[in-house]
Amino acid sequence: MALSDVKVLGSWPSPFVLRPRIALHLKSVNYEYIEENLLESKSELLLKSNPVFKKVPVLLHGDKPICESLIIVQYIDEVWSSGPSILPSDPYERANSRFWAAYIDEKWFPALRGVLAAESEDAKKAAIAQVEEGLVLLEEAFGKLSQGKPFFGGDQIGYLDIALGSFLVWLKVIEKISEMKLLTEAKTRCLLEWAHRFSSHVAVKDVMPEADKLAEFGVKLRAKILKARAIPK
Amino acid sequence: MSKEELVILDCWVSPFCMGVKIALAEKGLEYEAREEDLFGGKSDLLLNSNPIYMKVPVLLHQAKPLCESTIIVNYIDETWPSPPLLPPCSYGRAQARFWADFIDKKLFDAGCNIWRSKGEAPEEAKREVIEILKQLEEALREKAFFGGDTFEFVDIITVPVTSWFHAIEKFGNFKVEDECPKFSAWMKRCMQRETVAKVLPNPEKVYEFLIMFRKMQGIE
């Protein structure tokens, strides 16, 4: 397949963009990566490809746009079926993977974002507590789903590894802002070890952003969020 | 399959529970529905089966719990593949998942913004619901159902919320049929399906429920 047949519209700081990229790497699929600047206005291609949400990532397969990171990962898993499987084959295990991925996106990520965007010390503390609570739940889930193997997906990186792993560098940034470790030996030992394994995986390490660069971006993003809140509606 | 194998922890008025029941009916599956008393106190079974969200629906298949309606519907489709609820091609499936996700995240909450407001419903809330329905009309185009000729995944996820529309129209003082006639026509087509007609509650009952619920919450 020609390189230009598979494109990813993305933005380097976005954890959601990492997901399709990791999935494509796992499947050894070549693709063209097109960078969108999240802090400036959106490109025509993005607006045309994702008119509903106008967000990255978008996968362009030929002329077909696919949106929403986890939906894209499932699409990649189905289309390039000869590569290693991303979702488990058993329907109950698939449901569990989807459940925890949805939890990460709907409950845990907003708390993580809440630390970055907190306007007061109290709000920051509350958000940090939620992040920690979530990580304890995910530690438990890891125990049950990995069944003693290195990843949520078992021997290989799977759907839930990608869903959570894509946030690892942002988690480092949030640890810096909170001035505390959120993944710890004491409470989340398995996740801590998993995080090292995931981050150094050949399909992952070249796409993860640098923590310092992301932290700098985090400062700009926080300023943008707080400014937007201050504008009277 | 015996009834004991499939149990749904249910609530008659929850559109999320309705979606699961419609999916089970479409597959011709028998199940036991156990009504949860959401005001009287949730059952131990619910709290143990869904400790993260403590919400209905929960589907218990051979005592194994499954939570979150869209995930449950996917599970039902994968475990009992016939008749299929998702299109055969990967792109069609991605589109179906996209719209189901969109509806799940947006439609119900937007509707709630109308009936949850004290006094007159804010114009912004009404505009949001209409905008969402217009986006769904775009996705529907000239097709009979979101799935094309056949009633499928997106239809199953969407149609339950429409049982709340009569109430939302009353509180919001507008009519879906006037604003979104294509969507309204799709609703009527879905209601002709036995699986849908049997599961969806009487919209007047939903309206009465919301009146009572508003009083309980101190919204008048």
Side-chain angles (χ1 to χ4, degrees), chain B residues 14-163:
Chain B
S14 157
F16 305 102
C17 293
M18 292 174 215
V20 173
K21 288 184 286 189
I22 294 170
L24 289 167
E26 287 287 320
K27 300 283 189 176
L29 293 166
E30 286 200 354
Y31 59 92
E32 182 198 339
R34 289 191 204 167
E35 187 76 15
E36 284 284 326
D37 179 1
L38 295 183
F39 302 120
K42 297 176 182 181
S43 71
D44 282 341
L45 183 58
L46 175 58
L47 299 175
N48 289 331
S49 307
N50 191 357
I52 307 285
Y53 299 113
M54 295 179 281
K55 280 185 183 177
V56 290
V58 173
L59 182 72
L60 293 152
H61 181 205
Q62 293 164 338
K64 288 188 299 194
L66 292 125
C67 311
E68 296 297 282
S69 57
T70 320
I71 293 174
I72 299 172
V73 173
N74 259 303
Y75 173 82
I76 291 167
D77 194 37
E78 289 170 7
T79 310
W80 295 278
S82 179
L85 300 180
L86 278 168
C89 78
S90 302
Y91 184 64
R93 294 157 84 83
Q95 290 294 89
R97 287 179 178 136
F98 175 86
W99 286 110
D101 187 56
F102 174 80
I103 285 145
D104 226 17
K105 288 195 175 109
K106 296 236 171 190
L107 187 56
F108 183 70
D109 285 348
C112 286
N113 286 337
I114 293 179
W115 63 260
R116 277 207 178 114
S117 29
K118 240 179 177 163
E120 218 179 291
E123 277 306 310
E124 200 185 307
K126 282 196 268 190
R127 263 201 306 273
E128 206 196 341
V129 170
I130 292 164
E131 198 191 301
I132 291 168
L133 295 181
K134 285 204 194 294
Q135 281 177 308
L136 293 178
E137 282 188 324
E138 273 272 328
L140 198 51
R141 301 255 166 95
E142 303 308 320
K143 297 177 285 180
F145 300 106
F146 285 99
D149 292 326
T150 44
F151 179 81
E152 282 180 353
F153 193 70
V154 180
D155 306 286
I156 292 173
I157 300 296
T158 315
V159 79
V161 186
T162 67
S163 64

Side-chain angles (χ1 to χ4, degrees), chain A residues 8-11 14 16-17 20 34 36-38 40-60 65-69 72 105 109 113, chain B residues 98 101-102 105-106:
Chain A
V8 171
L9 292 186
S11 193
S14 163
F16 302 101
V17 168
I34 301 170
E36 283 277 326
N37 189 333
L38 280 187
E40 284 170 23
S41 60
K42 299 178 180 187
S43 72
E44 278 301 312
L45 181 59
L46 175 59
L47 297 175
K48 198 181 85 172
S49 310
N50 191 355
V52 176
F53 293 119
K54 307 181 181 56
K55 282 184 178 176
V56 290
V58 177
L59 179 78
L60 291 159
I66 298 109
C67 310
E68 294 296 287
S69 61
I72 299 172
D105 280 5
F109 166 67
R113 194 173 193 267
Chain B
F98 175 86
D101 187 56
F102 174 80
K105 288 195 175 109
K106 296 236 171 190

